Amino acid sequence: SKVEAVTDGQQVRLHIDSLELKSLLAYVTDEEWIRGQLNGEVVWDTPQMDLAWEGSMVASNKQVPDQAHVHFKGSKGKEKLETELEFSHKDASASGTIRKIQGPLEYHVLLDRFSLEALRYVPGLPPDLEVTGLVSGMAFGRLAGGITAEGFLVVDSLYVVPPLTGSPLRVDHDTLFLLDSDLILRNFMVRDARDDSLSLSGKVQFHPELEGKVQLRSDQFALLRNQEAGSRLQGNLATQADLEIEGGSSGLRISGTLQTLPGANVTYVSEKSFHMVDASQIVTFMDLETEQARTSLPARESRLDMEWDLDLKVNQTSVEVLLDEISQEYIRINSQGSIQMKSGVNSYPMVYGSITSSE
């Protein structure tokens, strides 16, 4: 590594040659969370107080071992600021500018390619989440006085298999739109394994706080279509939906209609070992023949306020809990009926209607 500063009385030049990033970050942290090298030059024009810079960086870390390449350059004067950035990685490439010329700070970002397989690096996501696909797009807006954005994101060949259901979902080719602080969905189509579609329309606002309203509509869409041996959840469950979800980080309102289509069957394979919980801590059933017949749920503090106005229809549906895969001990219930869910207390819904069940 080499860092050298020279001056001719008018300008100060700082040359950086192969500076190890871990040496630079050692001044602020003992952890080696990034490694790589920095090269570049900074020029300071002392009479005009102008500043210019250009350089490149190669970096990686333990979570993202493949190297990322960054090239940057820019300048700052009394009246303006302008900087450019180019980023390339095995899973992504992008470029952008930040500019201020006698006005608010503005940005422009071009996302050439982002491989959704890079989500494997995101902490907290299920390690067995299977997802592939590409996202590209562009956005521009202001960074001062509240972030704004105009542009779009194009989703291509998205394929995701949720670990719980094992039922693949896909987006062939569709577009998300950005306007001000909103992400807008215009009949965004998600398809299941049989090519049935779920349409999403509405918008989600990200600033100053997260909130939105989204409609979900489908004549037939598979929430579960998985017969793979060894899966925790197996069977077929298709639904017809006309739902609206509205709210944000402080609360949600779910309204509309949802029904399971005939022929649904769901099998839950129990874990090899489990602990029984005292039922009185969860739900208490009184003798239905007495005047005091009731069902009580424990009071709890809800982090998210929920409002309900949902009509749920259950067509002939078989639900099976497989207690032991070897002995094939199971509990099976066949159900049908309809219920209404209305806003209740402590975010619990009040439920009206009837579900008829038989063994």
Side-chain angles (χ1 to χ4, degrees):
S1 300
K2 181 181 179 181
V3 178
E4 180 182 32
V6 297
T7 180
D8 59 5
Q10 297 290 321
Q11 290 184 338
V12 177
R13 292 179 176 271
L14 179 66
H15 298 276
I16 302 172
D17 184 11
S18 303
L19 177 63
E20 294 290 338
L21 294 179
K22 66 178 181 180
S23 301
L24 183 63
L25 295 174
Y27 293 101
V28 294
T29 178
D30 293 331
E31 296 184 12
E32 186 183 347
W33 61 273
I34 191 171
R35 55 183 178 269
Q37 292 184 342
L38 173 65
N39 296 277
E41 182 178 67
V42 179
V43 179
W44 180 27
D45 189 324
T46 55
Q48 300 297 323
M49 300 300 291
D50 291 340
L51 195 65
W53 58 87
E54 183 170 2
S56 62
M57 181 174 65
V58 178
S60 63
N61 64 17
K62 294 179 180 179
Q63 285 71 36
V64 188
D66 299 301
Q67 287 187 336
H69 298 262
V70 180
H71 181 265
F72 54 89
K73 66 177 180 178
S75 61
K76 183 183 184 304
K78 293 181 180 179
E79 301 293 334
K80 70 174 185 177
L81 165 68
E82 187 170 7
T83 186
E84 301 177 10
L85 182 70
E86 295 180 357
F87 174 88
S88 63
H89 182 265
K90 183 186 73 172
D91 293 318
S93 62
S95 59
T97 61
I98 297 176
R99 181 180 293 115
K100 184 182 187 302
I101 303 176
Q102 296 181 341
L105 194 62
E106 300 176 339
Y107 73 92
H108 186 284
V109 176
L110 177 63
L111 178 61
D112 297 313
R113 177 183 60 85
F114 177 77
S115 171
L116 293 173
E117 293 183 30
L119 294 177
R120 65 186 181 276
Y121 299 129
V122 178
L125 291 180
D128 54 348
L129 175 66
E130 182 182 348
V131 58
T132 58
L134 294 173
V135 176
S136 60
M138 60 84 66
F140 62 91
R142 299 191 309 271
L143 293 173
I147 299 176
T148 64
E150 291 189 39
F152 59 87
L153 294 172
V154 178
V155 181
D156 274 307
S157 305
L158 169 62
Y159 181 87
V160 57
V161 181
L164 178 61
T165 65
S167 305
L169 305 173
R170 77 177 201 273
V171 176
D172 295 330
H173 178 86
D174 219 325
T175 304
L176 302 167
F177 299 91
L178 304 170
L179 181 62
D180 293 330
S181 301
D182 297 338
L183 177 68
I184 300 174
L185 301 98
R186 298 173 180 167
N187 200 30
F188 190 85
M189 304 298 290
V190 180
R191 299 186 180 277
D192 63 15
R194 294 184 59 181
D195 208 35
D196 294 322
S197 63
L198 174 68
S199 168
L200 290 82
S201 299
K203 68 178 182 179
V204 179
Q205 175 183 295
F206 291 95
H207 184 80
E209 60 182 27
L210 180 65
E211 62 178 338
K213 179 189 289 188
V214 178
Q215 292 83 37
L216 297 88
R217 294 187 174 93
S218 176
D219 293 329
Q220 179 171 307
F221 189 77
L223 297 180
L224 174 66
R225 195 177 303 279
N226 179 23
Q227 303 295 340
E228 185 176 346
S231 298
R232 181 62 53 82
L233 204 58
Q234 302 173 15
N236 295 282
L237 177 61
T239 61
Q240 185 179 86
D242 186 359
L243 299 173
E244 181 176 89
I245 302 176
E246 180 180 6
S249 53
S250 60
L252 289 176
R253 182 178 187 272
I254 300 177
S255 60
T257 61
L258 177 67
Q259 67 170 313
T260 65
L261 297 181
N265 61 88
V266 179
T267 298
Y268 174 76
V269 182
S270 177
E271 297 182 23
K272 292 182 179 180
S273 61
F274 56 91
H275 298 284
M276 297 297 292
V277 179
D278 181 3
S280 64
Q281 296 178 8
I282 301 175
V283 58
T284 302
F285 294 98
M286 302 297 290
D287 183 0
L288 296 179
E289 299 298 324
T290 67
E291 295 182 359
Q292 293 80 20
R294 60 179 181 149
T295 300
S296 62
L297 293 168
R300 67 178 177 90
E301 293 185 4
S302 175
R303 296 182 180 179
L304 188 68
D305 292 331
M306 297 292 298
E307 294 184 21
W308 302 86
D309 187 10
L310 180 64
D311 292 332
L312 175 62
K313 183 177 181 180
V314 179
N315 286 298
Q316 188 66 39
T317 301
S318 172
V319 179
E320 179 179 293
V321 178
L322 186 59
L323 301 176
D324 191 309
E325 292 185 90
I326 298 177
S327 65
Q328 290 295 298
E329 296 178 349
Y330 63 86
I331 300 173
R332 179 183 296 155
I333 298 175
N334 295 309
S335 302
Q336 62 181 358
S338 60
I339 58 175
Q340 289 183 315
M341 301 173 68
K342 302 291 185 180
S343 296
V345 180
N346 292 332
S347 295
Y348 287 113
M350 297 182 67
V351 181
Y352 307 87
S354 64
I355 297 291
T356 302
S357 299
S358 61
E359 186 176 352

